Amino acid sequence: MHKILVINPNSNADVTVRLSDIFCDYHVTKNTKVDCISIQEGPFGIESDEDIHHVSPLVIKKIKNELPNYDAFVIACYSDPGLSDSKLAFSAPIYGIHETTVKFCHYKKIKFGIIALGEESIKRHFEYIRKLSLSSYYVGEVSINMDVNEAVNGTNTMMKIFNASKILIHNEKAEAIILGCAGMAKYRESLEKKLGVKVLDPVQTSVDCAIMNL
């Protein structure tokens, strides 16, 4: 049985619990054990460039310590902190959820829109996609103006994501919606049913891609 470690770089345990729920049956359905952990030294939410710089070395350290125990690693933060440096440092397969999900849409030739937590992250996301040369199917982003904890535990999060997604579908002709924060994962299935288009939780997409390539 393969083993994959999902690293939540923030210290918000609620995010990690929600992620663990997604993969609870993978040991049966996909013959893969998926463990989800938090980085306790990380900020409660990763929402700024400062947060990203702070957690990047922590992510690299965690991967280094766990290398003997896992076949692949997924960095469960949409900013992909530590991804490029860890890929250079280690031979194990390492996936950033932003890069992997955008590559998936590009490979499938699906026009995708992204739900962002805040307005300030939209520019960062676009610059990253352009740097990866994967902007061909990117149609835009809409912010729900929440922090990570609100995205996980807010009472109106689902409706905010739904309304933002409708804008991307109707105005920008998005064929898929990417949830631009690991904390939004629990809404994926319900949103897909309500919206009638593909909704991608980037953590699950990345784990599935990792399994396919093991």
Side-chain angles (χ1 to χ4, degrees), residues 129-190:
I129 291 170
R130 186 170 58 182
K131 180 181 176 182
L132 294 170
S133 300
L134 294 171
S135 60
S136 300
Y137 297 95
Y138 171 78
V139 299
E141 297 190 38
V142 176
S143 165
I144 58 172
N145 296 312
M146 287 184 160
D147 61 27
V148 173
N149 194 53
E150 288 175 312
V152 179
N153 297 310
T155 56
N156 63 340
T157 304
M158 173 75 171
M159 185 55 64
K160 281 197 169 189
I161 299 174
F162 177 80
N163 291 336
S165 299
K166 294 290 280 187
I167 292 171
L168 289 167
I169 294 166
H170 291 158
N171 296 356
E172 308 301 336
K173 310 305 179 189
E175 298 167 330
I177 300 296
I178 298 175
L179 303 176
C181 171
M184 301 179 192
K186 67 177 181 177
Y187 308 109
R188 189 206 70 78
E189 193 170 343
S190 296

Side-chain angles (χ1 to χ4, degrees), residues 13-208:
D14 286 346
V15 175
T16 308
V17 169
R18 299 292 189 275
L19 293 176
S20 296
D21 290 343
I22 296 169
F23 306 112
C24 64
D25 64 346
Y26 267 46
H27 66 290
V28 175
T29 61
K30 303 203 176 186
N31 195 36
T32 303
K33 187 175 188 295
V34 181
D35 292 330
C36 301
I37 62 168
S38 304
I39 293 184
Q40 297 304 317
E41 307 93 328
F44 198 62
I46 298 170
E47 296 157 4
S48 67
D49 290 339
E50 183 179 352
D51 292 335
I52 295 167
H53 293 316
H54 173 64
V55 301
S56 291
L58 300 177
V59 170
I60 295 167
K61 180 181 177 181
K62 181 62 70 174
I63 293 173
K64 182 179 180 181
N65 291 342
E66 297 291 348
L67 274 176
N69 304 318
Y70 292 93
D71 301 299
F73 298 84
V74 172
I75 302 171
C77 170
Y78 204 66
S79 298
D80 288 352
L83 177 63
S84 57
D85 287 341
S86 59
K87 280 185 173 181
L88 290 173
F90 311 119
S91 58
I94 300 168
Y95 296 83
I97 63 172
H98 189 160
E99 178 186 65
T100 303
T101 309
V102 170
K103 281 184 174 180
F104 173 83
C105 291
H106 196 269
Y107 175 75
K108 295 288 188 178
K109 298 182 179 179
I110 302 169
K111 291 190 289 185
F112 65 93
I114 299 169
I115 305 301
L117 282 179
E119 295 289 342
E120 68 281 356
S121 61
I122 293 177
K123 180 181 179 183
R124 183 169 64 243
H125 292 168
F126 175 69
E127 289 176 350
Y128 185 49
I129 291 170
R130 186 170 58 182
K131 180 181 176 182
L132 294 170
S133 300
L134 294 171
S135 60
S136 300
Y137 297 95
Y138 171 78
V139 299
E141 297 190 38
V142 176
S143 165
I144 58 172
N145 296 312
M146 287 184 160
D147 61 27
V148 173
N149 194 53
E150 288 175 312
V152 179
N153 297 310
T155 56
N156 63 340
T157 304
M158 173 75 171
M159 185 55 64
K160 281 197 169 189
I161 299 174
F162 177 80
N163 291 336
S165 299
K166 294 290 280 187
I167 292 171
L168 289 167
I169 294 166
H170 291 158
N171 296 356
E172 308 301 336
K173 310 305 179 189
E175 298 167 330
I177 300 296
I178 298 175
L179 303 176
C181 171
M184 301 179 192
K186 67 177 181 177
Y187 308 109
R188 189 206 70 78
E189 193 170 343
S190 296
L191 283 165
E192 191 166 271
K193 290 176 182 176
K194 289 177 179 291
L195 292 168
V197 302
K198 189 75 173 173
V199 176
L200 297 168
D201 161 31
V203 182
Q204 186 173 22
T205 300
S206 298
V207 169
D208 288 346

